[in-house]
Amino acid sequence: MNTANTVAASKITLSELMLPSHSNFSGKIHGGYLLKLMDQIAFACASKYSGCYCVTASVDTVDFLNPVEIGELVTLKASVNYVGRTSMVVGIRVISEHIQTGVKKHCNSSYFTMVAKDEMGNNVKVPKLILSNMEEVRRFYDSINRIENKKKHKELEMTFDYKSDEALKNLENFNIEISENFKNE
């Protein structure tokens, strides 16, 4: 196995024509189908980079920015943006293209955390990441920031007392109604 690898060595592009069988009830391409494609390219990217079988550990921030239409060509581009000891963050960008007009839309960007595994299912150390330009450095630091923010959010969830009087009073600021059964509890 390589001890270091470049971002360029991880890059994968996947294009697929969107068919009626991929659509939802409103005639747009189903978000779940796009997520499936994103998971596939994340697997391919991480496995190509690490030389190992990889599994999805988490998916961060999938915002559907623009709908994808039946008949459009969807292109997913992925690269490893960050590596830890056994994990990698794969950045994915999804673009749809109207084939006749050539008009392209950015549909979403997402980040998949993938973990390298051996034949027995144990975590495996991944190669160091060789950064070759400032864009790769930016993406690496953006990944670090997302990881740190995720840790802070998890700590906040663990320490937040939703049963406190202050937290319950704060519910009045939201578009909810407290049932009588709850009030009498």
Side-chain angles (χ1 to χ4, degrees):
M1 177 183 8
N2 291 341
T3 58
N5 226 339
T6 63
V7 172
S10 75
K11 290 188 176 186
I12 299 269
T13 301
L14 171 70
S15 294
E16 185 172 329
L17 183 64
M18 294 296 104
L19 303 174
S21 60
H22 304 142
S23 67
N24 59 24
F25 294 111
S26 70
K28 308 295 183 198
I29 299 306
H30 196 287
Y33 187 75
L34 293 174
L35 284 169
K36 176 184 166 190
L37 293 176
M38 292 165 66
D39 193 49
Q40 288 174 356
I41 197 168
F43 166 80
C45 179
S47 295
K48 180 181 177 187
Y49 176 83
S50 67
C52 300
Y53 177 77
C54 295
V55 297
T56 305
S58 72
V59 180
D60 295 330
T61 317
V62 179
D63 293 323
F64 293 95
L65 306 173
N66 288 296
V68 178
E69 307 290 336
I70 295 169
E72 289 185 328
L73 183 66
V74 168
T75 300
L76 298 91
K77 294 184 178 193
S79 65
V80 170
N81 291 351
Y82 169 89
V83 297
R85 197 177 69 72
T86 63
S87 66
M88 298 149 280
V89 174
V90 175
I92 302 169
R93 184 175 177 91
V94 181
I95 304 290
S96 68
E97 179 180 359
H98 188 282
I99 293 176
Q100 286 84 21
T101 65
V103 173
K104 295 180 181 180
K105 299 180 292 189
H106 176 207
C107 299
N108 69 42
S109 294
S110 187
Y111 305 95
F112 280 56
T113 300
M114 308 297 290
V115 177
K117 300 284 187 175
D118 65 14
E119 300 81 26
M120 303 299 291
N122 299 310
N123 292 359
V124 177
K125 187 175 179 184
V126 298
K128 287 183 180 180
L129 185 62
I130 300 169
L131 302 176
S132 303
N133 57 54
M134 290 308 287
E135 180 64 15
E136 293 173 1
V137 169
R138 181 191 65 76
R139 289 179 177 172
F140 186 85
Y141 274 116
D142 285 350
S143 293
I144 290 172
N145 287 334
R146 273 191 303 283
I147 291 166
E148 290 301 316
N149 286 335
K150 196 173 177 180
K151 286 179 186 175
K152 288 177 188 173
H153 183 75
K154 194 169 208 156
E155 288 172 15
L156 180 63
E157 282 181 347
M158 292 172 57
T159 60
F160 179 71
D161 181 7
Y162 65 92
K163 295 179 182 179
S164 72
D165 290 338
E166 181 182 348
L168 294 173
K169 176 129 178 71
N170 189 44
L171 289 174
E172 296 170 1
N173 297 321
F174 296 95
N175 187 23
I176 63 165
E177 186 175 310
I178 303 295
S179 76
E180 286 302 317
N181 292 341
F182 177 77
K183 290 178 184 175
N184 298 328
E185 197 176 276

